[in-house]
Amino acid sequence: MNKSIKILGSIAILFLVTTSLFAQPSKKSSSSESAQALSVVESFQTVFRDISDMLLPSVVEVDVTETKTIKYTNPFESFGFPFGDFFGYPEKEDSEKSQKNQREYEQKGLGSGVIVRQANNTYYVLTNNHVAGSATKITIKLNDGREYEGKLVGTDERIDIALVSFEAKKDKSIPVASLGDSDKVKPGDICMAFGAPLGFSQSVTQGIISAVNRSESSMSSISDYIQTDAAINQGNSGGPLVNIYGEVIGINTWIASSSGGSVGLGFAIPINNIKKSIDSLIKNHKIIYGWVGVSLLDINNDYKTELKVDNLEGAFAAEVFTNSPAYKGGIKPGDFIISINGKMISNVNQLIREVAALEAGTTAKFGVIRGGIRIPDLSVEVVERPKESEIQNNKMWPGFIAYPLTDDIRKQYDIAKNVKGVIVTSVEAKTPAASLGIGNGDIITAVNGVKITSLSEFYSELAKVTKDINFDRYVDGNTIRTGTYIF
């Protein structure tokens, strides 16, 4: 607390000095101007020193050893005679076994971490999963040179974080870092990155926040990122990104670089995306993600126009898992989700993050546009996300994604103007659609005998389905009615 006050005091001094400098009359001797300018620079330096003094004792080097295996075969087996006389020919069964033989070897690596929690004599270090997630041996090195054996508490591959603990006598010289509010971070904010880049431990670099909410398709959907130009290199992974108040606002995770070195494009996981995860990792050794059972899709302007949501931001519910919380709560395929628990949604990735952060057993309110009309918020119970292997895609309803018959689509597939409906894409195996014989490229012209001429009409009729369904599909110039699927 005292160090935080000291840093805030340094910032206040810097502000006062800077203000007084610009408030001075313009006619000053060059030596006086130089002295004033130097005092401003010194004030900056004082701030950065105070932040470093405050954070470095909380920043650690994470040295890891991974045991890996490689397959090998007998190098002499392929030679045959005369080597067999010297080495002996193994039986065929033994030969097959030898091809599956494995040898273990150790691979060492290092990263960074920051102490974020302390309970009695146990200290918890936050780092990246790609640093410590596969480690068979972990050593934690403090800034004063002390070393401790680390223990992997829990990991999460999706968000790329890991929590490591070590045992040490409770000591003021091993402080816990203060966690800030990453939601308040803005482009242009001054920041500092700490860690052990290329093995040079206790390094500090300074820069600014270049961007926030980075969540392009090449990045993880379960987290957005803070972008910074503070130099981050290999070994910085897991180290903290810190604001001018000495608070951790992110965990440095990866860089964009064609050379492998820093080019001013570093990315950190916002600390607010991790705070709840620390408790979950300590208690459950894993992160428990919320799940409701909706397959989401980012849609283009053609899609938005057809759905009558042209000027809205949100996430499109392309399909819903039957018997899932979303299905039971009333979310329908074709719904455009614009909010969750009153918080507006701008895109698919944001909604995924918001749902994932919800606790299992709680109820969430979803704001939805259906057929261009805002309907009352839907209450959906949140459950723990199943394992990927347990998610059954054959439960997807309707089992395909409908796409509007735009001019480009008609031209590409040579579809006449008088043919009305939606075109089928992305049919999932063993789903209701697949069981009815619907295939990619089919054109749906009616739902339960009701003709549809647009995407909005298709989803409107689909939303009315309760017990059974059939489709009229246009294929090779003929309209064929499918059998009936009964729920």
Side-chain angles (χ1 to χ4, degrees), residues 88-105:
Y89 286 110
E91 296 294 328
K92 182 178 181 181
E93 182 180 352
D94 292 334
S95 177
E96 290 175 352
K97 286 182 180 179
S98 71
Q99 293 178 11
K100 297 179 181 178
N101 281 345
Q102 296 180 335
R103 287 180 179 172
E104 292 186 347
Y105 69 98

Side-chain angles (χ1 to χ4, degrees), residues 71-274:
K71 292 183 179 180
Y72 73 97
T73 56
N74 187 335
F76 300 109
E77 285 182 5
S78 60
F79 289 101
F81 184 83
F83 291 98
D85 292 340
F86 292 96
F87 298 99
Y89 286 110
E91 296 294 328
K92 182 178 181 181
E93 182 180 352
D94 292 334
S95 177
E96 290 175 352
K97 286 182 180 179
S98 71
Q99 293 178 11
K100 297 179 181 178
N101 281 345
Q102 296 180 335
R103 287 180 179 172
E104 292 186 347
Y105 69 98
E106 290 187 343
Q107 178 174 295
K108 297 185 182 297
L110 66 85
S112 305
V114 59
I115 301 171
V116 294
R117 190 73 60 84
Q118 179 256 325
N120 297 321
N121 293 333
T122 302
Y123 291 83
Y124 293 94
V125 173
L126 186 62
T127 185
N128 286 136
N129 176 69
H130 75 259
V131 171
S134 302
T136 51
K137 182 181 178 182
I138 302 173
T139 301
I140 301 296
K141 292 183 179 180
L142 304 186
N143 73 316
D144 59 9
R146 284 179 288 174
E147 296 186 7
Y148 298 93
E149 180 181 351
K151 177 183 177 182
L152 190 62
V153 176
T155 68
D156 187 84
E157 186 176 355
R158 297 183 75 201
I159 199 172
D160 191 19
I161 62 171
L163 196 68
V164 175
S165 68
F166 67 92
E167 299 294 322
K169 186 176 179 181
K170 190 174 180 180
D171 189 341
K172 290 183 179 180
S173 67
I174 312 179
V176 175
S178 177
L179 305 185
D181 184 355
S182 55
D183 289 344
K184 294 181 180 179
V185 173
K186 302 293 183 184
D189 288 356
I190 297 172
C191 61
M192 299 172 71
F194 291 76
L198 304 177
F200 293 97
S201 61
Q202 305 306 315
S203 293
V204 184
T205 57
Q206 181 265 322
I208 63 168
I209 302 299
S210 304
V212 295
N213 302 126
R214 287 295 196 204
S215 58
E216 278 73 10
S217 58
S218 60
M219 303 177 182
S220 167
S221 64
I222 207 67
S223 180
D224 57 344
Y225 294 90
I226 298 170
Q227 181 185 329
T228 179
D229 69 349
I232 295 175
N233 286 285
Q234 294 177 23
N236 269 116
S237 291
L241 187 68
V242 176
N243 62 20
I244 58 172
Y245 308 108
E247 300 168 332
V248 177
I249 55 173
I251 298 298
N252 302 320
T253 300
W254 62 288
I255 61 174
S257 173
S258 57
S259 65
S262 174
V263 293
L265 286 170
F267 297 89
I269 305 169
I271 198 64
N272 285 8
N273 293 7
I274 305 174

Side-chain angles (χ1 to χ4, degrees), residues 424-425 427 433 437-443 473:
V424 173
T425 65
V427 176
I438 294 173
N440 292 326
D442 289 357
I443 298 170
R473 59 192 185 104

